[in-house]
Structure formats: structure tokens, C-alpha cells
Amino acid sequence: MRPLIRSACRLRARVRAMATLPAAAAFSPSSASAAARPPRLPLARLFLPSAPPAAARGARSLRTSAAAAAAAAVEVGGVKIAREDVVKEEDPTNNVPDPIYSKIGLQLHRSGNHPLGILKNTIYDYFDKNFSGKFNKFDDLCPLVSVKQNFDDVLVPADHVSRSYNDTYYVDAQTVLRCHTSAHQAELLRDGHTHFLVTGDVYRRDSIDSTHYPVFHQMEGFRVFSPDDWSDSGMDGTAYAAADLKKTLEGLARHLFGAVEMRWVDTYFPFTNPSFELEIYFQDDWLEVLGCGVTEQEILKSNGRTDHVAWAFGLGLERLSMVLFDIPDIRLFWSNDQRFTSQFSEGKLGVKFKPFSKFPPCYKDMSFWINEEFTENNLCEVVRGIAGDLVEEVKLIDNFTNKKGMTSHCYRIAYRSMERSLTDEEINDMQWNVREEVKNKLKVELR
């Protein structure tokens, strides 16, 4: 398997460029987007100075830091990845910015004292205890994968929206930053693995709020059965795999959350049939924990497992960690502030996070006439490129279309640091730069 991953990382393989490149949903629960948001505030007009502030520290210092972080090559699984391998400014098919490159190699899930690492190891403990070491574990696979690995190998339709530049980070026409850990499923099967857990950082262009971040972490589980496994059960292979899957994951939910009420919900994923989501009743509400299903036969046949059946599941580590540790903002996972990191220790799942600051947000509004190419994800990429993790939320608060057919959007941007108070000067500087970048990069007309 290693040579396959290394060749993907070094981008040696080049295939014919795609004419149209429309994050795969994988198994990640979608209800995070329905998390409680701040109440809508009244629309306010933003007055900006006619020139940028003299001391332009905030945004420029963030960009300088990102550039410095991107200067050195990073190493994942023994493979070195340089900036020029990922950020290709001269390639029109590339849409990976420096702030995203700077996250490659950090691998928060591999730190035993980090909430994500604590959760990962707790899940490992469950599988080790119940399956006698059957499951092989992979947590350092390279995040650079081919379009085929990320989409085709897991049966994502050619016209699926997840393939678009709006949703996925493309390194070039045939290489992406993986949108899900399922991107390694086919090569692990071809390599002979029948029981495996894959954990890693995944990348998706997304909105900005307390539950969404362009880099997060997933775990994928996979188990293959041969005909001998179900021959005496009185069930066909699919029914046998589905029953084993549900039993396994109900046990995992109890391992993580204790004795909780559970329910199964039928759903759809392109790579499993039947497909399910597991929900638990936790803190007076139903919570989606993970997605799963019986693997489509086409995937197994394509990878040397004819006449076998399999199940697969996927879960988001941030989503579960935010619930288990009471972490209110997804940006905190990336904090190096000791007031955050010192609260967690190896093996202690569910220690409740104690907020160490309540700095107020600063809201700035921005209105502009959009064009046909405008998307909210592109706007969020521009804002994040200027403000980094100092931007807490980007929210559409007003829109209208005039008699000429022109459509105007007004977005409210919330700036807030998790660690300190922001000054008026740096906030105004960031907002000025955001307006200039939005105008120049998105080709919109500011109002």
C-alpha cells in the first residue's frame, strides 16, 4: 500500500484533465449544520474609512504567519510534502490556499493528550477489546489522493455536487485533498486488509460558523465477511452484515456515551446499501452519531472480493468531541493556548471543557451585487484567507433583487478571538482587506 500512497503524494501520476470538475458526503452526519446559531441581528450599515488604517497589523500579520508556516515541507507517513506540491499558483485547476496547506501534517488526532486523539484511542480500545486485535489501524496516510480514489472508487456519481471546485480542494485536475477517509478504502482492500480503521484529517471548502471548519478529522471502519461467515446463520450475506454492523456500533455508542437510548434511521450513501444513521438520545435531544451501511457489491468486486459482503461506518471526531468534552467552537481544536491544551490528558474521555475567555464578537456588514459565478463558499475562503481563525461566522442577513434583475447580498462577519480581545484597529484593517479581496477575487460590485 505504501508505494501507492507515496506516488499519490508526489503527484507522479497524471491523467487526462477533466472538462468539468463539479466533499463527498462520506458518512459524516449532516445535522451539525443545524446547530444553534446566534440570533439574527438588525441590519446595520457599515461605514469604512476611505483608505486602509495606517497600522495594518491584523490581516497582514496573519498572512505573514501563514506564509511562514507554508515555507517548510511537512511530513506525513514518511512522505515529505512541499508547498509547491499543494499550492500551485500557476495551475488554473488549483484552489488550495496557504492556510489550508499549513494544516497538513499537524495531525491532531495523533496526539494522545488532544481531545481528538483521546477519542480516537477510546474507539481503538473498544475494537481491541471486542475483536481481539483483528482491526488494522491506519492514522498517518497521506491526504493527497487522486480524483479516482476520492470519488470514483467509492461510486460518487460523475455529476455529484461534491466534485465541484466549490466544495473540494483540488491540487490539480486529477489530485485532491481527500474529502473523507473513504478515499483509502479501495487500496486497503486491494492490499489484502479485511478489517481496518482509518483515521485522518479531511478537507472541504465550507461555510464559517462554530461547527464548520475547512479541515476536520474522520474515522472510517470496515469489515469484510466471507460466505463461510454467514452460511449457518439462516440469513443472506447482506442481512448478516447489517445485523453485525448494528450490534458493533450500538456497543461503540455505549462505550462512548454510556447507557443511552438509540434508534436507527434509514438514509442514503452512494457506497452502501442499505444505509443507516445511528442516533442516540443525549442531553434531552436526539443526536446523530455516525453513518454506516452494507458496502455496495461493485466496490468489493472491483477490489478482489467477489462473493464477499462488508460493512463500513464513518464518524466525525470533532462532532463527537464537541459533545463529549463540551467544546463550544470548532476553532478551539487548533488552539495552542495552554488554557485549552492543559485541560485534557491521555485516557480521560469526556472531561468537560472550562471556558477561559469570553471576549465579545465584533460585527461588520458587507453588501455587494453578486454575479453568476458567486458562491458563499468562495466568499468564506476569501474571508478566512484574510482573517484566519479570527473570523467566527459569515452569515447572509439580507438579499434582494432589483428591477434590473441584479441581486444584492448582505453578509454579517463576526470577528472574535478565542484567546484575546481584538482591537478596533486590527478589525477595521481586516475588514478593509476583506472588502478589497472580495471585490478583486470574486469580481463583485461593492455597495
Side-chain angles (χ1 to χ4, degrees):
M1 180 191 66
R2 186 67 63 193
L4 290 175
I5 296 173
R6 182 173 289 113
S7 62
C9 288
R10 291 179 178 172
L11 315 178
R12 289 176 181 167
R14 289 295 181 268
V15 191
R16 183 179 58 189
M18 298 166 63
T20 303
L21 295 171
F27 294 109
S28 289
S30 59
S31 65
S33 60
R37 299 174 183 270
R40 177 171 294 187
L41 300 174
L43 181 60
R45 185 174 182 85
L46 172 67
F47 294 94
L48 287 170
S50 59
R57 289 195 298 266
R60 281 197 277 274
S61 63
L62 282 166
R63 291 196 296 274
T64 301
S65 298
V74 296
E75 186 171 310
V76 181
V79 179
K80 288 188 177 180
I81 306 172
R83 177 183 182 274
E84 56 267 25
D85 294 329
V86 180
V87 182
K88 301 183 176 183
E89 295 162 344
E90 303 304 318
D91 188 340
T93 65
N94 182 281
N95 65 350
V96 183
D98 279 322
I100 295 300
Y101 170 73
S102 70
K103 297 295 193 292
I104 298 175
L106 296 184
Q107 297 188 298
L108 303 181
H109 61 284
R110 302 193 75 200
S111 170
N113 293 321
H114 192 280
L116 301 181
I118 295 169
L119 175 58
K120 181 199 74 172
N121 289 330
T122 303
I123 297 172
Y124 280 1
D125 290 343
Y126 169 78
F127 279 93
D128 286 343
K129 179 180 179 180
N130 290 276
F131 294 93
S132 303
K134 282 187 177 180
F135 279 81
N136 300 118
K137 306 177 187 71
F138 302 89
D139 69 354
D140 66 343
L141 302 182
C142 180
L144 295 179
V145 299
S146 68
V147 169
K148 180 178 183 297
Q149 289 173 295
N150 198 72
F151 297 120
D152 301 335
D153 285 351
V154 288
L155 309 183
V156 176
D159 60 350
H160 198 277
V161 65
S162 64
R163 293 179 181 254
S164 73
Y165 280 101
N166 189 57
D167 285 16
T168 295
Y169 288 108
Y170 278 83
V171 173
D172 57 38
Q174 294 300 326
T175 311
V176 300
L177 286 168
R178 63 186 171 209
C179 300
H180 50 183
T181 47
S182 302
H184 302 288
Q185 192 178 101
E187 60 187 271
L188 290 173
L189 283 170
R190 289 194 297 270
D191 215 36
H193 297 287
T194 59
H195 298 64
F196 52 85
L197 301 171
V198 180
T199 312
D201 43 334
V202 297
Y203 301 77
R204 299 183 196 174
R205 302 175 90 242
D206 210 339
S207 55
I208 297 176
D209 59 36
S210 63
T211 63
H212 291 86
Y213 200 79
V215 189
F216 56 104
H217 298 76
Q218 283 188 341
M219 179 183 290
E220 164 120 349
F222 202 93
R223 185 181 188 186
V224 179
F225 300 91
S226 69
D228 290 341
D229 292 320
W230 71 81
S231 59
D232 296 328
S233 68
M235 295 183 282
D236 62 26
T238 298
Y240 182 85
D244 184 85
L245 170 67
K246 290 183 176 181
K247 178 182 177 181
T248 299
L249 296 181
E250 286 172 0
L252 176 60
R254 285 190 290 269
H255 184 70
L256 297 177
F257 293 95
V260 291
E261 184 181 353
M262 306 179 205
R263 68 184 183 189
W264 289 97
V265 178
D266 293 336
T267 188
Y268 165 79
F269 301 114
F271 26 73
T272 55
N273 185 25
S275 302
F276 315 102
E277 287 176 344
L278 176 61
E279 297 183 350
I280 65 169
Y281 196 71
F282 188 74
Q283 296 179 347
D284 300 322
D285 200 4
W286 285 102
L287 171 72
E288 291 179 23
V289 175
L290 50 80
C292 61
V294 178
T295 306
E296 286 281 7
Q297 279 296 302
E298 183 179 341
I299 293 176
L300 295 172
K301 290 178 181 177
S302 298
N303 296 287
R305 293 289 170 180
T306 303
D307 299 327
H308 289 63
V309 298
W311 55 244
F313 74 85
L315 54 84
L317 293 182
E318 275 89 348
R319 174 171 171 74
L320 295 187
S321 293
M322 291 179 80
V323 174
L324 289 165
F325 293 96
D326 277 353
I327 296 174
D329 194 304
I330 197 169
R331 294 175 297 165
L332 279 166
F333 289 106
W334 300 92
S335 175
N336 291 318
D337 193 312
Q338 285 193 338
R339 291 173 295 177
F340 175 77
T341 58
S342 64
Q343 294 191 37
F344 310 101
S345 56
E346 188 169 355
K348 294 186 178 180
L349 182 71
V351 172
K352 301 307 179 185
F353 169 70
K354 298 178 181 178
F356 52 83
S357 64
K358 294 183 179 179
F359 298 109
C362 178
Y363 297 99
K364 297 289 186 181
D365 295 346
M366 178 172 57
S367 298
F368 48 83
W369 300 105
I370 67 171
N371 52 44
E372 293 181 356
E373 289 76 33
F374 174 81
T375 70
E376 190 168 301
N377 278 356
N378 285 339
L379 172 65
C380 289
E381 283 294 305
V382 170
V383 177
R384 193 181 284 115
I386 297 294
D389 286 352
L390 296 182
V391 58
E392 180 176 65
E393 184 177 47
V394 175
K395 183 177 182 180
L396 179 66
I397 60 172
D398 189 45
N399 72 90
F400 70 91
T401 301
N402 66 12
K403 294 180 180 179
K404 296 181 179 179
M406 298 174 63
T407 299
S408 172
H409 283 185
C410 181
Y411 284 89
R412 174 156 291 148
I413 303 174
Y415 297 100
R416 188 203 318 238
S417 170
M418 306 300 295
E419 300 168 356
R420 62 183 178 85
S421 290
L422 300 176
T423 67
D424 289 339
E425 183 183 26
E426 62 185 320
I427 291 171
N428 286 336
D429 185 43
M430 280 187 284
Q431 183 68 3
W432 175 269
N433 281 277
V434 164
R435 287 173 61 88
E436 289 298 297
E437 289 290 281
V438 166
K439 179 178 68 175
N440 295 331
K441 289 190 174 181
L442 303 185
K443 308 301 181 186
V444 298
E445 182 182 346
L446 298 177
R447 298 182 59 225

